[in-house]
Amino acid sequence: MFAGYLAAKQSCESCGLAFEPLRADDAPAYFTISIVGHIVVSGYLAIESTMHPPVWLQLSIWMPGTLAMTLGLLPFIKGAVMGAIFSSQARRGRAV
Ligand SMILES: [Zn+2]
């Protein structure tokens, strides 16, 4: 489905479905920020309130964790958004 990290291919290699009308735009970033933000903030606060670690330790856990979760989730969420656009028939240039 993807030619690079996030760039969608022109069409499906198996069935020829054109991916261009399935433009996800900013929705994958929005959903990724929402999911990762909830995990990071609740994790930070849970550790802070129970173990009271120093700030440098919290930052050394959550900054690379945030980066890893964001980069790991983004392609999957983009694929899910493109699938949702396809299945809902809400494609570009089409009245829903
Ligand atoms: Zn296909």
Side-chain angles (χ1 to χ4, degrees), residues 34-57:
S34 297
I35 293 167
V36 172
H38 280 87
I39 293 169
V40 169
V41 170
S42 60
Y44 181 95
L45 292 175
I47 290 176
E48 182 61 37
S49 63
T50 55
M51 295 179 238
H52 313 291
V55 173
W56 67 265
L57 182 59

mmCIF file of all heavy atoms in Angstrom, residues 34-57:
data_model
loop_
_atom_site.group_PDB
_atom_site.id
_atom_site.type_symbol
_atom_site.label_atom_id
_atom_site.label_comp_id
_atom_site.label_asym_id
_atom_site.label_seq_id
_atom_site.Cartn_x
_atom_site.Cartn_y
_atom_site.Cartn_z
ATOM 1 N N SER A 34 -3.543 11.875 19.187
ATOM 2 C CA SER A 34 -4.539 11.602 20.233
ATOM 3 C C SER A 34 -4.180 10.334 21.004
ATOM 4 O O SER A 34 -4.206 10.324 22.237
ATOM 5 C CB SER A 34 -5.930 11.442 19.619
ATOM 6 O OG SER A 34 -6.328 12.633 18.995
ATOM 7 N N ILE A 35 -3.845 9.269 20.288
ATOM 8 C CA ILE A 35 -3.551 7.991 20.948
ATOM 9 C C ILE A 35 -2.254 8.087 21.751
ATOM 10 O O ILE A 35 -2.212 7.754 22.944
ATOM 11 C CB ILE A 35 -3.466 6.864 19.895
ATOM 12 C CG1 ILE A 35 -4.839 6.626 19.275
ATOM 13 C CG2 ILE A 35 -2.920 5.584 20.514
ATOM 14 C CD1 ILE A 35 -4.798 5.769 18.019
ATOM 15 N N VAL A 36 -1.176 8.552 21.112
ATOM 16 C CA VAL A 36 0.122 8.612 21.784
ATOM 17 C C VAL A 36 0.072 9.602 22.949
ATOM 18 O O VAL A 36 0.632 9.343 24.015
ATOM 19 C CB VAL A 36 1.241 8.974 20.780
ATOM 20 C CG1 VAL A 36 2.563 9.226 21.486
ATOM 21 C CG2 VAL A 36 1.408 7.863 19.754
ATOM 22 N N GLY A 37 -0.607 10.717 22.769
ATOM 23 C CA GLY A 37 -0.723 11.706 23.838
ATOM 24 C C GLY A 37 -1.394 11.131 25.074
ATOM 25 O O GLY A 37 -0.942 11.369 26.196
ATOM 26 N N HIS A 38 -2.450 10.373 24.874
ATOM 27 C CA HIS A 38 -3.125 9.772 26.030
ATOM 28 C C HIS A 38 -2.222 8.775 26.743
ATOM 29 O O HIS A 38 -2.196 8.709 27.965
ATOM 30 C CB HIS A 38 -4.429 9.094 25.597
ATOM 31 C CG HIS A 38 -5.562 10.051 25.415
ATOM 32 N ND1 HIS A 38 -5.795 10.699 24.229
ATOM 33 C CD2 HIS A 38 -6.499 10.500 26.275
ATOM 34 C CE1 HIS A 38 -6.845 11.484 24.371
ATOM 35 N NE2 HIS A 38 -7.298 11.393 25.610
ATOM 36 N N ILE A 39 -1.489 7.972 25.976
ATOM 37 C CA ILE A 39 -0.589 6.985 26.585
ATOM 38 C C ILE A 39 0.533 7.685 27.345
ATOM 39 O O ILE A 39 0.832 7.351 28.498
ATOM 40 C CB ILE A 39 -0.019 6.045 25.501
ATOM 41 C CG1 ILE A 39 -1.119 5.172 24.915
ATOM 42 C CG2 ILE A 39 1.105 5.179 26.075
ATOM 43 C CD1 ILE A 39 -0.698 4.407 23.671
ATOM 44 N N VAL A 40 1.159 8.680 26.709
ATOM 45 C CA VAL A 40 2.321 9.334 27.310
ATOM 46 C C VAL A 40 1.923 10.145 28.544
ATOM 47 O O VAL A 40 2.558 10.035 29.596
ATOM 48 C CB VAL A 40 3.038 10.215 26.264
ATOM 49 C CG1 VAL A 40 4.073 11.115 26.919
ATOM 50 C CG2 VAL A 40 3.697 9.341 25.210
ATOM 51 N N VAL A 41 0.875 10.930 28.429
ATOM 52 C CA VAL A 41 0.493 11.777 29.564
ATOM 53 C C VAL A 41 0.026 10.926 30.738
ATOM 54 O O VAL A 41 0.434 11.162 31.881
ATOM 55 C CB VAL A 41 -0.596 12.792 29.141
ATOM 56 C CG1 VAL A 41 -1.170 13.510 30.353
ATOM 57 C CG2 VAL A 41 -0.007 13.792 28.159
ATOM 58 N N SER A 42 -0.801 9.911 30.469
ATOM 59 C CA SER A 42 -1.268 9.080 31.585
ATOM 60 C C SER A 42 -0.120 8.255 32.169
ATOM 61 O O SER A 42 -0.052 8.070 33.390
ATOM 62 C CB SER A 42 -2.423 8.179 31.145
ATOM 63 O OG SER A 42 -1.998 7.319 30.102
ATOM 64 N N GLY A 43 0.792 7.783 31.330
ATOM 65 C CA GLY A 43 1.950 7.051 31.832
ATOM 66 C C GLY A 43 2.859 7.923 32.661
ATOM 67 O O GLY A 43 3.336 7.521 33.731
ATOM 68 N N TYR A 44 3.113 9.123 32.164
ATOM 69 C CA TYR A 44 3.952 10.067 32.907
ATOM 70 C C TYR A 44 3.346 10.361 34.273
ATOM 71 O O TYR A 44 4.029 10.304 35.300
ATOM 72 C CB TYR A 44 4.104 11.361 32.103
ATOM 73 C CG TYR A 44 4.965 12.398 32.775
ATOM 74 C CD1 TYR A 44 6.311 12.506 32.464
ATOM 75 C CD2 TYR A 44 4.437 13.268 33.728
ATOM 76 C CE1 TYR A 44 7.117 13.451 33.082
ATOM 77 C CE2 TYR A 44 5.230 14.209 34.363
ATOM 78 C CZ TYR A 44 6.570 14.296 34.033
ATOM 79 O OH TYR A 44 7.363 15.229 34.658
ATOM 80 N N LEU A 45 2.063 10.674 34.289
ATOM 81 C CA LEU A 45 1.416 11.033 35.552
ATOM 82 C C LEU A 45 1.335 9.838 36.500
ATOM 83 O O LEU A 45 1.492 9.998 37.720
ATOM 84 C CB LEU A 45 0.021 11.602 35.286
ATOM 85 C CG LEU A 45 0.008 12.960 34.577
ATOM 86 C CD1 LEU A 45 -1.421 13.374 34.252
ATOM 87 C CD2 LEU A 45 0.717 14.017 35.394
ATOM 88 N N ALA A 46 1.101 8.638 35.974
ATOM 89 C CA ALA A 46 1.031 7.455 36.829
ATOM 90 C C ALA A 46 2.381 7.182 37.484
ATOM 91 O O ALA A 46 2.454 6.920 38.692
ATOM 92 C CB ALA A 46 0.579 6.236 36.015
ATOM 93 N N ILE A 47 3.452 7.261 36.704
ATOM 94 C CA ILE A 47 4.787 7.030 37.272
ATOM 95 C C ILE A 47 5.154 8.142 38.239
ATOM 96 O O ILE A 47 5.713 7.902 39.313
ATOM 97 C CB ILE A 47 5.834 6.887 36.139
ATOM 98 C CG1 ILE A 47 5.606 5.577 35.390
ATOM 99 C CG2 ILE A 47 7.256 6.943 36.697
ATOM 100 C CD1 ILE A 47 6.517 5.387 34.182
ATOM 101 N N GLU A 48 4.829 9.377 37.872
ATOM 102 C CA GLU A 48 5.162 10.509 38.737
ATOM 103 C C GLU A 48 4.453 10.407 40.088
ATOM 104 O O GLU A 48 5.042 10.657 41.132
ATOM 105 C CB GLU A 48 4.792 11.825 38.029
ATOM 106 C CG GLU A 48 5.129 13.072 38.801
ATOM 107 C CD GLU A 48 6.621 13.214 39.072
ATOM 108 O OE1 GLU A 48 7.405 12.841 38.181
ATOM 109 O OE2 GLU A 48 6.989 13.666 40.170
ATOM 110 N N SER A 49 3.184 10.029 40.064
ATOM 111 C CA SER A 49 2.418 10.016 41.315
ATOM 112 C C SER A 49 2.744 8.811 42.190
ATOM 113 O O SER A 49 2.508 8.846 43.395
ATOM 114 C CB SER A 49 0.919 10.060 41.009
ATOM 115 O OG SER A 49 0.547 8.907 40.305
ATOM 116 N N THR A 50 3.257 7.726 41.593
ATOM 117 C CA THR A 50 3.529 6.539 42.405
ATOM 118 C C THR A 50 4.999 6.399 42.788
ATOM 119 O O THR A 50 5.313 5.981 43.893
ATOM 120 C CB THR A 50 3.088 5.254 41.661
ATOM 121 O OG1 THR A 50 3.735 5.217 40.388
ATOM 122 C CG2 THR A 50 1.584 5.228 41.493
ATOM 123 N N MET A 51 5.917 6.727 41.863
ATOM 124 C CA MET A 51 7.336 6.469 42.121
ATOM 125 C C MET A 51 8.173 7.722 42.294
ATOM 126 O O MET A 51 9.311 7.626 42.743
ATOM 127 C CB MET A 51 7.912 5.625 40.982
ATOM 128 C CG MET A 51 7.302 4.243 40.899
ATOM 129 S SD MET A 51 7.992 3.319 39.530
ATOM 130 C CE MET A 51 6.535 2.953 38.603
ATOM 131 N N HIS A 52 7.676 8.863 41.900
ATOM 132 C CA HIS A 52 8.378 10.140 42.026
ATOM 133 C C HIS A 52 9.817 10.085 41.508
ATOM 134 O O HIS A 52 10.747 10.431 42.235
ATOM 135 C CB HIS A 52 8.383 10.622 43.487
ATOM 136 C CG HIS A 52 7.046 10.524 44.147
ATOM 137 N ND1 HIS A 52 5.996 11.320 43.806
ATOM 138 C CD2 HIS A 52 6.583 9.686 45.125
ATOM 139 C CE1 HIS A 52 4.942 10.998 44.538
ATOM 140 N NE2 HIS A 52 5.263 10.013 45.341
ATOM 141 N N PRO A 53 10.023 9.639 40.267
ATOM 142 C CA PRO A 53 11.393 9.596 39.736
ATOM 143 C C PRO A 53 11.872 11.004 39.389
ATOM 144 O O PRO A 53 11.055 11.920 39.262
ATOM 145 C CB PRO A 53 11.255 8.749 38.473
ATOM 146 C CG PRO A 53 9.863 9.008 38.024
ATOM 147 C CD PRO A 53 9.047 9.214 39.269
ATOM 148 N N PRO A 54 13.188 11.190 39.220
ATOM 149 C CA PRO A 54 13.671 12.506 38.792
ATOM 150 C C PRO A 54 13.198 12.832 37.377
ATOM 151 O O PRO A 54 12.878 11.935 36.595
ATOM 152 C CB PRO A 54 15.200 12.364 38.839
ATOM 153 C CG PRO A 54 15.472 10.915 38.936
ATOM 154 C CD PRO A 54 14.260 10.252 39.480
ATOM 155 N N VAL A 55 13.170 14.123 37.084
ATOM 156 C CA VAL A 55 12.644 14.579 35.787
ATOM 157 C C VAL A 55 13.463 14.003 34.637
ATOM 158 O O VAL A 55 12.897 13.591 33.613
ATOM 159 C CB VAL A 55 12.618 16.128 35.734
ATOM 160 C CG1 VAL A 55 12.244 16.607 34.344
ATOM 161 C CG2 VAL A 55 11.637 16.674 36.753
ATOM 162 N N TRP A 56 14.801 13.949 34.788
ATOM 163 C CA TRP A 56 15.626 13.430 33.684
ATOM 164 C C TRP A 56 15.268 11.994 33.365
ATOM 165 O O TRP A 56 15.305 11.584 32.205
ATOM 166 C CB TRP A 56 17.127 13.571 34.000
ATOM 167 C CG TRP A 56 17.595 12.693 35.150
ATOM 168 C CD1 TRP A 56 17.720 13.051 36.456
ATOM 169 C CD2 TRP A 56 17.969 11.312 35.077
ATOM 170 N NE1 TRP A 56 18.147 11.985 37.213
ATOM 171 C CE2 TRP A 56 18.312 10.901 36.389
ATOM 172 C CE3 TRP A 56 18.043 10.382 34.048
ATOM 173 C CZ2 TRP A 56 18.718 9.602 36.683
ATOM 174 C CZ3 TRP A 56 18.448 9.074 34.345
ATOM 175 C CH2 TRP A 56 18.778 8.712 35.661
ATOM 176 N N LEU A 57 14.872 11.217 34.364
ATOM 177 C CA LEU A 57 14.501 9.826 34.107
ATOM 178 C C LEU A 57 13.169 9.756 33.363
ATOM 179 O O LEU A 57 13.011 8.974 32.414
ATOM 180 C CB LEU A 57 14.430 9.056 35.429
ATOM 181 C CG LEU A 57 14.109 7.567 35.320
ATOM 182 C CD1 LEU A 57 15.149 6.852 34.457
ATOM 183 C CD2 LEU A 57 14.036 6.929 36.692
#
